[in-house]
């Protein structure tokens, strides 16, 4: 699957955004891929334009890196170009985040949300360098999510 062109993707980011919950099978707590596909079909058939996979609502804390990758792939495959898919990183070190960003591009995600829990000692420059390194490796639009707040974070984002 080929990702949409950058500006085409940006032009489609409007309207209702669903923070996709992850369905689990009873007893085993494995990701219920069939239910996920059914949910995605239902959401899109009812006008949903954007599916957002998040560390919180999509339960990344309960999933391994492999499961997060599979959840992302199943979502992209199930959406099949009918809506925008915003994939999300987990709070990982830079090398893992870049590898996952490349994976998301490869499987056809439209946008990548960078989730990074900033340590209290992180400066705006640290924040900028982290995100710029990802932007340099990822040709799809990036969507930012961070716990670094205030004017330094806004200035850093404006530089990327």
């Amino acid at each position: 699957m080929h990702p949409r062109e950058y500006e085409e993707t940006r032009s489609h980011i409007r309207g209702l955004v669903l923070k996709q919950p992850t369905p689990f099978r009873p007893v085993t707590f494995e990701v219920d891929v069939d239910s996920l596909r059914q949910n995605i079909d239902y959401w899109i058939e009812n006008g949903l334009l954007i599916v957002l996979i998040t560390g919180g609502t999509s339960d990344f804390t309960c999933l391994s890196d492999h499961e997060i990758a599979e959840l992302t792939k199943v979502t992209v495959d199930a959406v099949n170009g009918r809506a925008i898919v915003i994939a999300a990183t987990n709070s990982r070190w830079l090398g893992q985040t870049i590898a996952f960003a490349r994976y998301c591009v490869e499987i056809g995600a439209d946008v990548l949300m960078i989730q990074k829990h900033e340590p209290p000692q992180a400066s705006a420059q640290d924040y900028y360098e982290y995100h710029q390194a990802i932007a340099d490796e990822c040709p799809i639009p990036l969507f930012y999510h961070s716990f670094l707040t205030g004017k330094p974070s806004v200035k850093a984002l404006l530089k990327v």
Side-chain angles (χ1 to χ4, degrees):
M1 178 174 289
H2 300 286
R4 301 170 199 259
E5 291 296 319
Y6 189 92
E7 289 303 323
E8 178 190 357
T9 299
R10 286 184 56 151
S11 72
H12 285 87
I13 299 177
R14 65 186 188 291
L16 181 64
V17 176
L18 173 77
K19 290 171 57 175
Q20 173 180 286
T22 300
F24 294 95
R25 294 189 183 282
V27 182
T28 65
F29 297 105
E30 294 172 299
V31 174
D32 187 342
V33 173
D34 294 332
S35 292
L36 178 60
R37 286 187 179 112
Q38 290 171 4
N39 288 346
I40 289 170
D41 285 342
Y42 176 81
W43 298 325
I44 292 172
E45 288 167 7
N46 286 280
L48 184 74
L49 301 175
I50 303 171
V51 177
L52 169 63
I53 306 166
T54 70
T57 306
S58 301
D59 292 315
F60 282 10
T61 57
C62 302
L63 302 173
S64 68
D65 289 345
H66 173 77
E67 289 171 317
I68 293 168
E70 184 62 21
L71 173 74
T72 304
K73 184 168 183 357
V74 168
T75 300
V76 170
D77 290 346
V79 168
N80 195 26
R82 300 175 294 162
I84 296 291
V85 175
I86 302 176
T89 66
N90 207 355
S91 190
R92 303 279 190 249
W93 65 279
L94 182 58
Q96 288 175 311
T97 300
I98 289 173
F100 188 73
R102 289 177 180 150
Y103 172 77
C104 289
V105 170
E106 178 184 309
I107 64 170
D110 297 297
V111 178
L112 181 63
M113 180 168 66
I114 308 300
Q115 296 182 162
K116 174 96 171 109
H117 299 271
E118 298 294 338
Q121 69 275 16
S123 68
Q125 185 64 29
D126 294 333
Y127 187 65
Y128 164 75
E129 289 173 7
Y130 180 89
H131 288 90
Q132 186 61 57
I134 299 164
D136 289 345
E137 297 291 330
C138 189
I140 60 177
L142 300 178
F143 182 91
Y144 296 100
H145 180 285
S146 178
F147 291 92
L148 182 67
T149 58
K151 290 182 181 179
S153 66
V154 172
K155 287 179 185 176
L157 284 176
L158 291 173
K159 290 169 85 177
V160 175

Coordinates of all heavy atoms in Angstrom, one line a residue, residues 25-65:
R25 N -9.9 -10.4 23.5 CA -10.7 -11.6 23.6 C -10.8 -11.9 25.1 O -9.9 -11.7 25.9 CB -10.0 -12.8 23.0 CG -9.9 -12.7 21.5 CD -9.4 -14.0 20.8 NE -9.3 -13.9 19.4 CZ -10.3 -13.9 18.5 NH1 -11.5 -14.1 19.0 NH2 -10.0 -13.8 17.3
P26 N -12.0 -12.4 25.5 CA -12.1 -12.8 26.9 C -11.1 -14.0 27.3 O -10.7 -14.7 26.4 CB -13.6 -13.3 27.0 CG -14.2 -13.2 25.7 CD -13.1 -12.7 24.7
V27 N -10.8 -14.1 28.5 CA -9.9 -15.1 29.1 C -8.5 -14.9 28.7 O -7.6 -14.7 29.5 CB -10.4 -16.5 28.8 CG1 -9.5 -17.6 29.5 CG2 -11.9 -16.7 29.2
T28 N -8.1 -14.9 27.3 CA -6.7 -14.9 26.9 C -6.2 -13.4 26.8 O -5.0 -13.2 26.8 CB -6.6 -15.5 25.5 OG1 -7.3 -14.7 24.5 CG2 -7.0 -17.0 25.5
F29 N -7.1 -12.5 26.7 CA -6.8 -11.1 26.5 C -5.9 -10.8 25.3 O -5.2 -9.8 25.3 CB -6.1 -10.5 27.8 CG -7.1 -10.5 29.0 CD1 -6.9 -11.5 30.0 CD2 -8.1 -9.7 29.0 CE1 -7.8 -11.6 31.0 CE2 -9.0 -9.7 30.1 CZ -8.9 -10.7 31.1
E30 N -6.0 -11.6 24.3 CA -5.3 -11.4 23.0 C -6.1 -10.3 22.3 O -7.4 -10.2 22.5 CB -5.3 -12.6 22.2 CG -4.4 -13.7 22.7 CD -4.5 -15.0 21.9 OE1 -5.7 -15.5 21.9 OE2 -3.5 -15.4 21.4
V31 N -5.5 -9.5 21.4 CA -6.2 -8.6 20.6 C -7.2 -9.3 19.7 O -6.8 -10.3 19.1 CB -5.2 -7.7 19.8 CG1 -6.0 -6.8 18.8 CG2 -4.3 -6.9 20.7
D32 N -8.4 -8.9 19.7 CA -9.5 -9.5 18.9 C -9.5 -8.8 17.6 O -10.2 -7.8 17.4 CB -10.8 -9.4 19.7 CG -11.9 -10.1 19.0 OD1 -11.8 -10.5 17.8 OD2 -13.0 -10.4 19.6
V33 N -8.7 -9.3 16.7 CA -8.5 -8.8 15.3 C -9.8 -8.7 14.5 O -10.1 -7.8 13.9 CB -7.4 -9.5 14.6 CG1 -7.3 -9.0 13.1 CG2 -6.1 -9.3 15.3
D34 N -10.6 -9.8 14.6 CA -11.9 -9.8 13.9 C -12.8 -8.7 14.4 O -13.5 -8.1 13.6 CB -12.5 -11.2 14.0 CG -11.7 -12.3 13.4 OD1 -11.0 -12.0 12.4 OD2 -11.8 -13.5 13.8
S35 N -12.9 -8.6 15.7 CA -13.8 -7.5 16.2 C -13.3 -6.1 15.8 O -14.0 -5.2 15.5 CB -13.9 -7.6 17.7 OG -14.6 -8.8 18.1
L36 N -12.0 -6.0 15.8 CA -11.4 -4.7 15.4 C -11.8 -4.4 14.0 O -12.2 -3.3 13.7 CB -9.8 -4.7 15.6 CG -9.1 -3.5 15.1 CD1 -9.6 -2.3 15.9 CD2 -7.6 -3.7 15.3
R37 N -11.6 -5.3 13.1 CA -12.0 -5.1 11.7 C -13.5 -4.8 11.6 O -13.9 -3.9 10.8 CB -11.7 -6.4 10.9 CG -10.2 -6.5 10.6 CD -10.0 -7.7 9.6 NE -8.6 -7.8 9.3 CZ -7.8 -8.8 9.7 NH1 -8.4 -9.9 10.4 NH2 -6.5 -8.9 9.4
Q38 N -14.3 -5.5 12.3 CA -15.8 -5.2 12.3 C -16.1 -3.8 12.8 O -16.9 -3.1 12.2 CB -16.6 -6.2 13.1 CG -16.6 -7.6 12.5 CD -17.1 -8.6 13.5 OE1 -17.6 -8.3 14.6 NE2 -17.1 -9.9 13.1
N39 N -15.4 -3.4 13.9 CA -15.6 -2.1 14.4 C -15.2 -1.0 13.4 O -15.9 0.0 13.2 CB -14.7 -1.9 15.7 CG -15.3 -2.6 16.9 OD1 -16.4 -3.1 16.8 ND2 -14.5 -2.8 17.9
I40 N -14.0 -1.2 12.7 CA -13.6 -0.2 11.7 C -14.6 -0.1 10.6 O -14.9 1.0 10.1 CB -12.2 -0.6 11.2 CG1 -11.1 -0.3 12.4 CG2 -11.8 0.2 10.0 CD1 -9.8 -0.9 12.1
D41 N -15.1 -1.2 10.1 CA -16.1 -1.2 9.0 C -17.3 -0.4 9.5 O -17.8 0.4 8.7 CB -16.5 -2.6 8.6 CG -15.4 -3.3 7.8 OD1 -14.5 -2.7 7.2 OD2 -15.5 -4.6 7.7
Y42 N -17.8 -0.7 10.7 CA -18.9 0.0 11.2 C -18.7 1.5 11.3 O -19.5 2.3 10.9 CB -19.3 -0.6 12.6 CG -20.4 0.2 13.2 CD1 -21.8 -0.1 12.9 CD2 -20.2 1.2 14.2 CE1 -22.8 0.6 13.5 CE2 -21.3 1.9 14.8 CZ -22.6 1.5 14.4 OH -23.6 2.2 15.0
W43 N -17.6 1.9 11.9 CA -17.2 3.3 12.0 C -17.2 4.0 10.7 O -17.8 5.1 10.5 CB -15.9 3.5 12.8 CG -15.9 3.0 14.1 CD1 -16.9 3.0 15.0 CD2 -14.8 2.4 14.8 NE1 -16.5 2.4 16.2 CE2 -15.2 2.0 16.1 CE3 -13.5 2.1 14.4 CZ2 -14.4 1.4 17.0 CZ3 -12.6 1.5 15.3 CH2 -13.1 1.1 16.6
I44 N -16.5 3.4 9.7 CA -16.4 4.0 8.4 C -17.7 4.1 7.7 O -18.1 5.1 7.1 CB -15.3 3.3 7.5 CG1 -13.9 3.6 8.2 CG2 -15.3 3.8 6.1 CD1 -12.8 2.8 7.6
E45 N -18.5 3.0 7.7 CA -19.8 3.0 7.1 C -20.7 4.1 7.7 O -21.7 4.5 7.1 CB -20.5 1.6 7.3 CG -19.9 0.5 6.5 CD -20.3 -0.9 6.9 OE1 -21.2 -1.0 7.8 OE2 -19.7 -1.8 6.3
N46 N -20.4 4.5 8.9 CA -21.2 5.6 9.6 C -20.6 6.9 9.5 O -20.9 7.8 10.3 CB -21.6 5.1 11.0 CG -22.6 4.1 11.0 OD1 -23.8 4.3 10.8 ND2 -22.2 2.8 11.1
G47 N -19.7 7.1 8.6 CA -19.1 8.5 8.3 C -17.8 8.9 9.0 O -17.4 10.0 8.9
L48 N -17.2 8.0 9.7 CA -15.9 8.3 10.3 C -14.9 8.5 9.3 O -14.7 7.7 8.3 CB -15.5 7.2 11.3 CG -14.2 7.5 12.0 CD1 -14.5 8.5 13.1 CD2 -13.6 6.3 12.6
L49 N -14.1 9.6 9.4 CA -13.1 10.0 8.4 C -11.7 9.8 8.9 O -10.8 9.7 8.1 CB -13.3 11.5 8.0 CG -14.6 11.9 7.4 CD1 -14.7 13.4 7.2 CD2 -14.9 11.1 6.1
I50 N -11.5 9.7 10.2 CA -10.1 9.6 10.7 C -10.1 8.5 11.9 O -10.9 8.6 12.8 CB -9.6 10.9 11.3 CG1 -9.6 12.0 10.2 CG2 -8.2 10.8 11.8 CD1 -9.4 13.4 10.6
V51 N -9.2 7.6 11.8 CA -9.0 6.6 12.9 C -7.7 6.9 13.5 O -6.6 6.9 12.9 CB -9.0 5.2 12.3 CG1 -8.8 4.2 13.5 CG2 -10.4 4.9 11.7
L52 N -7.7 7.2 14.8 CA -6.5 7.5 15.6 C -6.1 6.4 16.5 O -6.9 6.1 17.4 CB -6.7 8.8 16.3 CG -5.7 9.3 17.4 CD1 -4.3 9.5 16.7 CD2 -6.1 10.5 18.1
I53 N -5.0 5.8 16.4 CA -4.5 4.8 17.3 C -3.7 5.6 18.4 O -2.8 6.3 18.0 CB -3.6 3.8 16.6 CG1 -4.3 3.2 15.4 CG2 -3.1 2.7 17.5 CD1 -3.4 2.4 14.4
T54 N -4.0 5.4 19.6 CA -3.2 6.1 20.7 C -2.7 5.1 21.7 O -3.2 4.0 21.9 CB -4.2 7.1 21.4 OG1 -5.1 6.3 22.2 CG2 -4.9 8.0 20.5
G55 N -1.6 5.6 22.4 CA -1.1 4.8 23.5 C -2.0 4.6 24.6 O -2.0 3.5 25.2
G56 N -2.9 5.5 24.9 CA -3.9 5.4 26.0 C -5.1 4.6 25.6 O -5.3 3.5 26.0
T57 N -6.0 5.1 24.7 CA -7.2 4.5 24.4 C -7.0 3.1 23.7 O -7.8 2.2 23.9 CB -8.0 5.4 23.4 OG1 -8.2 6.7 24.1 CG2 -9.4 4.8 23.1
S58 N -5.9 3.0 22.9 CA -5.6 1.7 22.3 C -4.8 0.8 23.2 O -4.4 -0.3 22.7 CB -4.9 2.0 21.0 OG -5.6 2.8 20.1
D59 N -4.6 1.1 24.4 CA -4.0 0.3 25.4 C -2.6 -0.2 25.2 O -2.3 -1.4 25.4 CB -4.9 -1.0 25.7 CG -6.2 -0.6 26.3 OD1 -6.2 0.2 27.3 OD2 -7.3 -1.1 25.8
F60 N -1.7 0.7 24.7 CA -0.3 0.3 24.4 C 0.3 -0.3 25.7 O 1.2 -1.1 25.6 CB 0.5 1.5 23.9 CG 0.2 1.8 22.5 CD1 -0.8 1.2 21.7 CD2 1.1 2.7 21.8 CE1 -1.0 1.5 20.4 CE2 0.9 3.0 20.5 CZ -0.1 2.4 19.8
T61 N 0.0 0.2 26.9 CA 0.6 -0.3 28.1 C 0.3 -1.8 28.3 O 1.1 -2.4 29.0 CB 0.2 0.5 29.3 OG1 -1.3 0.4 29.4 CG2 0.6 1.9 29.3
C62 N -0.7 -2.3 27.7 CA -1.0 -3.8 27.8 C -0.5 -4.6 26.6 O -0.6 -5.8 26.6 CB -2.6 -3.9 27.8 SG -3.4 -3.1 29.1
L63 N 0.2 -3.9 25.7 CA 0.6 -4.6 24.5 C 2.1 -4.6 24.3 O 2.8 -3.6 24.7 CB 0.0 -3.9 23.2 CG -1.5 -3.8 23.2 CD1 -2.0 -3.0 22.0 CD2 -2.1 -5.2 23.1
S64 N 2.7 -5.6 23.7 CA 4.1 -5.7 23.4 C 4.3 -4.8 22.1 O 3.4 -4.5 21.4 CB 4.5 -7.1 23.1 OG 3.9 -7.6 21.9
D65 N 5.6 -4.6 21.8 CA 5.9 -3.8 20.6 C 5.4 -4.6 19.4 O 4.9 -3.9 18.5 CB 7.4 -3.6 20.5 CG 7.9 -2.6 21.5 OD1 7.1 -1.9 22.1 OD2 9.2 -2.6 21.7

